[in-house]
Amino acid sequence: MEMEKGVSIGRMASTIGVGLTAAADQEIREMVAARRDAEEEEEDEEVTKMRRELINAMAGSWENVVEIYKRDPRSHTIKIGVSGDTALHLAIISRQEDTAQKLVQLIIYTRTGKDALYVLSTPNKRGNTPLHLAAALGSVNLCNSILIGNRYKQELLAARNISSSSTPLYWAAFNGNKDAFFCLYEMCDAQALEYSHTKDGYTALHVALANGFWDLAFQIIHREERLADSITESGESPLHILALRPTAFRSGIYLSSFKNIIYHCIHVEELVPDTFKEKKELSAPSSYPTNYQTCFNFCRLLWKKMKSAVSMISGKSGPISNKRLDMENLGDQGQGIDEPHEKGAQGHQGFPSRYGRFFNSIVLNVSKILVVIFWMILGPSEIKKLKEVKQQHIWSLQIMNILIQRAKKFNDESNPQNHVTSDRKFCYSEYGYFTRGSGLTTTILVAAANGVKEIVEKILEEFPLAILDRDNNGRDVVMVAAKHRQSHVYDFLLRNGYIADVRTMVAYDGCGDIILHITAKLKNSEGWVNPTGMLQMQWEVKWYEYVKESIRWDPNRWADLEGKYPDQIFMEEHQELLSKSNEWINSTCNSCSFIAALIATVVFTSSATVPGGLSQENGKPIFQHHLAFQLFSFSSLVALCTSFTSLLIFLTLLTTKYQYKDFNKNLPQSLIFGLTSLFISMAAMLICFCSGHFLMLENRFKYAVIPVYALTCLVISYFAFRILPPYVLLLKATFNKVPERIYQEDPL
């Protein structure tokens, strides 16, 4: 293994033009391999003693480790523990950055070039060199200490570990360390593209997107555009990876109405490419004291604001801002590309630029005021979470637009027919960009399977024939959306006419199924979690009926390979779920009917008792003109009527055996009516009790019990809000034509 690593290092050194001859390159390889083999075979007592000394020094003070490194150079290569780490490895892992830099300087100053390369490229058991660990921890200073002035820096940058065959550059991207990544990137010279790949074809851009490091991924695309077109051995492009993260887009998360308002009020700045000029300007006054530095930053910010205000008033187009307003704040889709000044800040055509900026400024300021109000209500933690979520959505949308534009450019420059594959083992597309490699599915199919409507919509906008894409099983976008229960994607395709052709709806896939066969199978709804079996049954029936209506032809004319029709498959697949749903309905109706009967009994008894009694003169209630008595009379009547109504509904549900189609409308509507009546009767009973009790108290106690009533109502309201979400979910599931998507992951 070590010999193979030495060979790979030597090969890379010969290709990067570091001025080494073939003989010198071979000498380095042989020297490194021979020394490592010799040290692994022979270990004298003095080395063992030195290892113990290093362990004791690390347990005490790291300065003692520096002294040992300074005293005896043999300690530089001694490995400690089963992980095979040297003291330098452990110093980096322990985040002892100052100590690690001292150790690196000692290694460089006490050894010749080849010896220093040997020590600094010493791997642990996982094949990670000190530079791998420094890149993983994001230590720019340590990376500079190892590489700057080192004539063998290309060998260190080319070193790959054992686990993933990744270089330090890739390792920095994997851990999201942007500064460390671009520090190493600048030193890679012409080999940056090669060092960004692993043996499986995954690149720094792939892992940055997979791990959600959007800023880093955006900067990688702008600095190394070739990575945007890279694919893995399995045919996965960066756009594939983006489509596998549904929560990175707005369509992939659920927000309550209140949080949705806050979401749209939060301002998020779009990403812009970093430049070294900007970094130098920011770091120019770093030599000043801290108080002067703060004053300098404040004055510079004030000067920029003044220039911006003067430019807005005069109507002159100043330089493009480093950060543009995002599409959620101002109602336009950010593309990650600067728009011409004539269109205003967000490309509005109807107003001159000065009016557009003025309007955007008003919207932004109002949004900030609303965010401050919500911050006072919810607290800073909730606002921060929502801002992080929106930041992720805006940035991922920028990256998506850039990647799709790259795909369009690739398609325009090449002949798509030259890349189309007819091999049924792989996917099919009219566009060669999406069928590169040995992929089993295309990007739009991955996005449809994961419910990323933004990617599906954008790809169809730029590549209309992508609607014909098929995976290795012969399923198109419509089938994939139906298979994975992505109702919002299916509804988008239906509303925009992408599935108007009836032949598309009755086309068979590679397994002999049409779209309704796929929809009828319950096993395809894995992860579609619902609070109750009844709700899941309702959603299954509603979804099946919705897809069935979109076909327009009689689907029972089309059988699968086993001769089964869609309705038959649906009944067989959902038989167990139907039994569980009926059991849940019986249990719920038993409990609710008991509560309704209890309320009816109590309210009937209380309504027959008149608070304060009757007048002996005319036989009328003494408090008949009192507001509390009128409230008592009305609430007791409402409670009695609604409790009896609820009781009758639940008894009807309890004695009825329901079939599949009843779960679409009849059963849910009856259940909603019964629950609503029960809730109203409970509230009316509480009002009846409080008003009647208020009349029976003496004058001095009347107003003293009002806080008790308020506290009781507060507690009841709290528990009412706890059971409100399932009730609202039942309402949505019943009255929405398109089944609402159930989200598996809550980012908040």
Side-chain angles (χ1 to χ4, degrees), residues 257-311:
S257 300
F258 183 63
K259 287 186 177 180
N260 195 39
I261 295 174
I262 305 174
Y263 177 90
H264 285 283
C265 291
I266 294 175
H267 169 69
V268 174
E269 294 178 335
E270 291 187 349
L271 293 169
V272 295
D274 287 341
T275 60
F276 287 103
K277 182 179 179 180
E278 292 176 354
K279 292 183 178 180
K280 290 180 179 179
E281 289 178 354
L282 292 174
S283 60
S286 59
S287 59
Y288 300 156
T290 306
N291 53 345
Y292 294 152
Q293 174 71 30
T294 304
C295 182
F296 179 86
N297 291 336
F298 175 77
C299 293
R300 183 173 55 186
L301 179 62
L302 184 61
W303 175 248
K304 287 184 178 180
K305 293 294 183 182
M306 291 175 60
K307 289 198 299 182
S308 177
V310 171
S311 176

Side-chain angles (χ1 to χ4, degrees), residues 512-524:
D513 295 328
I514 65 172
I515 185 173
L516 206 58
H517 292 129
I518 299 172
T519 308
K521 296 178 180 179
L522 179 63
K523 63 181 180 181
N524 292 329

Side-chain angles (χ1 to χ4, degrees), residues 678-697:
L678 183 60
F679 293 154
I680 294 175
S681 65
M682 294 172 66
M685 182 188 66
L686 179 63
I687 296 173
C688 177
F689 168 77
C690 292
S691 58
H693 188 265
F694 184 79
L695 292 172
M696 299 173 63
L697 293 175

Side-chain angles (χ1 to χ4, degrees), residues 31-311:
M31 181 269 296
V32 171
R35 291 192 56 176
R36 285 178 182 167
D37 292 340
E39 290 185 359
E40 288 178 359
E41 293 177 359
E42 297 182 4
E43 183 176 297
D44 54 17
E45 295 182 358
E46 189 173 353
V47 173
T48 303
K49 180 180 179 182
M50 191 176 300
R51 178 181 292 108
R52 293 173 184 165
E53 189 176 356
L54 285 171
I55 295 174
N56 294 332
M58 285 184 285
S61 174
W62 282 95
E63 291 298 327
N64 296 332
V65 177
V66 176
E67 292 298 327
I68 296 174
Y69 260 53
K70 187 183 300 182
R71 184 179 69 246
D72 195 338
R74 290 181 301 173
S75 61
H76 300 173
T77 58
I78 293 179
K79 296 185 177 182
I80 303 170
V82 295
S83 60
D85 292 311
T86 64
L88 179 57
H89 284 89
L90 296 174
I92 299 172
I93 295 173
S94 302
R95 296 186 181 275
Q96 300 290 332
E97 186 173 340
D98 294 337
T99 302
Q101 289 190 49
K102 293 178 181 178
L103 298 180
V104 171
Q105 291 173 0
L106 287 172
I107 292 172
I108 294 175
Y109 294 152
T110 59
R111 293 176 177 270
T112 61
K114 296 178 182 179
D115 287 341
L117 171 64
Y118 163 71
V119 176
L120 292 176
S121 62
T122 300
N124 56 16
K125 291 293 184 181
R126 296 184 177 181
N128 291 321
T129 66
L131 188 58
H132 278 92
L133 300 181
L137 296 177
S139 177
V140 177
N141 294 332
L142 193 54
C143 292
N144 288 329
S145 298
I146 296 175
L147 295 176
I148 291 180
N150 193 333
R151 58 178 297 193
Y152 299 108
K153 66 179 180 180
Q154 293 300 330
E155 283 84 345
L156 296 173
L157 289 167
R160 298 182 180 271
N161 58 20
I162 299 173
S163 58
S164 59
S165 185
S166 56
T167 63
L169 183 67
Y170 180 92
W171 213 235
F174 183 87
N175 291 274
N177 298 315
K178 185 177 74 170
D179 293 337
F181 177 86
F182 286 107
C183 171
L184 299 177
Y185 176 85
E186 293 300 324
M187 298 185 185
C188 290
D189 299 332
Q191 301 300 315
L193 183 63
E194 179 185 350
Y195 297 163
S196 298
H197 286 74
T198 63
K199 61 181 180 181
D200 297 327
Y202 287 93
T203 67
L205 181 57
H206 283 85
V207 294
L209 292 172
N211 296 333
F213 303 125
W214 310 112
D215 188 13
L216 174 60
F218 181 84
Q219 305 303 335
I220 290 176
I221 294 173
H222 280 275
R223 296 292 295 277
E224 188 61 62
E225 293 184 351
R226 292 173 293 178
L227 291 180
D229 300 325
S230 59
I231 58 172
T232 64
E233 290 184 354
S234 57
E236 292 181 341
S237 66
L239 204 54
H240 272 83
I241 303 299
L242 196 61
L244 290 171
R245 293 184 57 89
T247 56
F249 296 86
R250 178 64 186 89
S251 63
I253 67 166
Y254 170 77
L255 292 177
S256 63
S257 300
F258 183 63
K259 287 186 177 180
N260 195 39
I261 295 174
I262 305 174
Y263 177 90
H264 285 283
C265 291
I266 294 175
H267 169 69
V268 174
E269 294 178 335
E270 291 187 349
L271 293 169
V272 295
D274 287 341
T275 60
F276 287 103
K277 182 179 179 180
E278 292 176 354
K279 292 183 178 180
K280 290 180 179 179
E281 289 178 354
L282 292 174
S283 60
S286 59
S287 59
Y288 300 156
T290 306
N291 53 345
Y292 294 152
Q293 174 71 30
T294 304
C295 182
F296 179 86
N297 291 336
F298 175 77
C299 293
R300 183 173 55 186
L301 179 62
L302 184 61
W303 175 248
K304 287 184 178 180
K305 293 294 183 182
M306 291 175 60
K307 289 198 299 182
S308 177
V310 171
S311 176

Side-chain angles (χ1 to χ4, degrees), residues 517-544:
H517 292 129
I518 299 172
T519 308
K521 296 178 180 179
L522 179 63
K523 63 181 180 181
N524 292 329
S525 63
E526 296 177 359
W528 209 20
V529 182
N530 287 280
T532 64
M534 179 266 172
L535 277 177
Q536 184 175 358
M537 188 68 205
Q538 179 195 7
W539 283 48
E540 288 286 331
V541 173
K542 200 174 186 71
W543 173 245
Y544 179 74

Side-chain angles (χ1 to χ4, degrees), residues 603 630-640 684-685 687-688 691:
V603 173
Q630 296 175 3
L631 191 60
F632 168 82
S633 303
F634 180 76
S635 60
S636 62
L637 176 62
V638 172
L640 186 61
M685 182 188 66
I687 296 173
C688 177
S691 58

Side-chain angles (χ1 to χ4, degrees), residues 323-334:
K323 304 282 185 178
R324 298 190 295 114
L325 297 181
D326 60 90
M327 58 100 183
E328 294 288 352
N329 294 328
L330 300 178
D332 192 18
Q333 285 191 350

Side-chain angles (χ1 to χ4, degrees), residues 478-722:
V478 183
M479 289 183 176
V480 171
K483 176 179 183 293
H484 293 275
R485 300 299 199 267
Q486 303 297 348
S487 57
H488 61 300
V489 175
Y490 186 90
D491 183 59
F492 164 76
L493 296 173
L494 184 63
R495 286 187 292 103
N496 288 273
Y498 289 107
I499 52 179
D501 188 359
V502 179
R503 291 174 298 177
T504 303
M505 305 302 293
V506 295
Y508 285 93
D509 64 3
C511 301
D513 295 328
I514 65 172
I515 185 173
L516 206 58
H517 292 129
I518 299 172
T519 308
K521 296 178 180 179
L522 179 63
K523 63 181 180 181
N524 292 329
S525 63
E526 296 177 359
W528 209 20
V529 182
N530 287 280
T532 64
M534 179 266 172
L535 277 177
Q536 184 175 358
M537 188 68 205
Q538 179 195 7
W539 283 48
E540 288 286 331
V541 173
K542 200 174 186 71
W543 173 245
Y544 179 74
E545 292 294 332
Y546 179 71
V547 177
K548 188 176 181 180
E549 289 178 2
S550 65
I551 293 181
R552 303 175 186 173
W553 282 7
D554 182 12
N556 289 314
R557 295 171 49 192
W558 310 90
D560 61 4
L561 295 179
E562 298 179 1
K564 295 181 180 180
Y565 295 98
D567 287 352
Q568 181 183 356
I569 295 174
F570 184 86
M571 293 178 185
E572 292 178 357
E573 293 280 342
H574 293 79
Q575 187 173 2
E576 183 179 354
L577 182 59
L578 177 63
S579 300
K580 292 181 179 180
S581 300
N582 280 321
E583 290 177 2
W584 181 88
I585 292 173
N586 292 335
S587 175
T588 302
C589 290
N590 276 324
S591 302
C592 293
S593 59
F594 174 77
I595 297 173
L598 184 62
I599 293 174
T601 303
V602 172
V603 173
F604 182 80
T605 304
S606 62
S607 62
T609 304
V610 180
L614 302 175
S615 175
Q616 296 180 356
E617 297 178 358
N618 53 17
K620 294 182 178 180
I622 296 175
F623 298 113
Q624 63 175 335
H625 300 295
H626 200 285
L627 178 62
F629 182 80
Q630 296 175 3
L631 191 60
F632 168 82
S633 303
F634 180 76
S635 60
S636 62
L637 176 62
V638 172
L640 186 61
C641 294
T642 53
S643 60
F644 272 114
T645 302
S646 177
L647 179 60
L648 291 175
I649 292 174
F650 287 122
L651 288 177
T652 303
L653 293 174
L654 192 61
T655 57
T656 304
K657 189 70 172 179
Y658 290 96
Q659 297 302 320
Y660 297 101
K661 292 186 177 180
D662 295 324
F663 284 86
N664 192 2
K665 289 183 179 180
N666 297 335
L667 178 58
Q669 289 177 356
S670 300
L671 186 61
I672 289 173
F673 191 26
L675 290 174
T676 304
S677 301
L678 183 60
F679 293 154
I680 294 175
S681 65
M682 294 172 66
M685 182 188 66
L686 179 63
I687 296 173
C688 177
F689 168 77
C690 292
S691 58
H693 188 265
F694 184 79
L695 292 172
M696 299 173 63
L697 293 175
E698 297 181 4
N699 292 333
R700 58 181 178 178
F701 292 114
K702 281 187 176 180
Y703 299 102
V705 296
I706 292 180
V708 179
Y709 296 156
L711 181 61
T712 304
C713 293
L714 185 63
V715 174
I716 294 176
S717 300
Y718 171 75
F719 286 102
F721 278 109
R722 292 294 300 270

